[in-house]
Amino acid sequence: MNRSEFIVKHFPKVDCGREPMGNKITVQLLSIPKISAGGIVLAGETKDFNKQATTTAQVVKLGPIAYRDRNSGETWKEGAWCEVGDLVLVNRYGGLNRIELPHPDDPEDSVIFCTFNDYDVTDKITGQYERYAQIL
């Protein structure tokens, strides 16, 4: 599966309705499918656990001083760690202001957004995308 297919499958288009401030970034967490890759229908408890435990996210918005020197406003020497649209790994159970919004294709499901400090992004995903969507 390529990057575009992965994004379409796991990150439905939903407006989170907020803008991060300062050095914060807003991410959309990976949506967990109802049916596993092996064709098993997942119980509600399994889906809920995996929703809360996922570390895979797509960056949807950056605060005005994300990845910038807090005093001068200049971009960090190593540059921005990620940009809007990038797939990243974030801390499990981390983030602030977690919000669940209705999934556009399934009213019984939800899409989760949360806010992190810019330095809380641990990795940028650049390949082997399906490995990051495995059910725990």
Side-chain angles (χ1 to χ4, degrees), residues 56-71:
T56 304
Q58 182 179 35
V59 178
V60 294
K61 296 186 180 184
L62 296 173
I65 60 168
Y67 305 110
R68 295 182 175 276
D69 181 278
R70 306 308 190 238
N71 295 317

Side-chain angles (χ1 to χ4, degrees), residues 71-99:
N71 295 317
S72 69
E74 293 180 25
T75 303
W76 287 354
K77 291 178 185 175
E78 68 271 21
W81 293 359
C82 62
E83 299 174 1
V84 171
D86 283 349
L87 298 173
V88 297
L89 297 179
V90 292
N91 297 319
R92 180 173 284 154
Y93 308 116
L96 309 164
N97 305 318
R98 185 175 288 244
I99 183 172

Side-chain angles (χ1 to χ4, degrees), residues 1-14 28-33 58 85 87 103-105 109 111 129-130 133:
M1 174 176 292
N2 68 36
R3 182 180 187 282
S4 297
E5 293 168 334
F6 182 79
I7 289 172
V8 167
K9 180 177 179 182
H10 294 289
F11 297 96
K13 296 278 187 209
V14 175
Q28 179 181 348
L29 297 178
L30 177 119
S31 290
I32 306 300
Q58 182 179 35
L87 298 173
H103 193 291
D105 300 327
D109 203 358
V111 176
Y129 301 104
E130 267 312 299

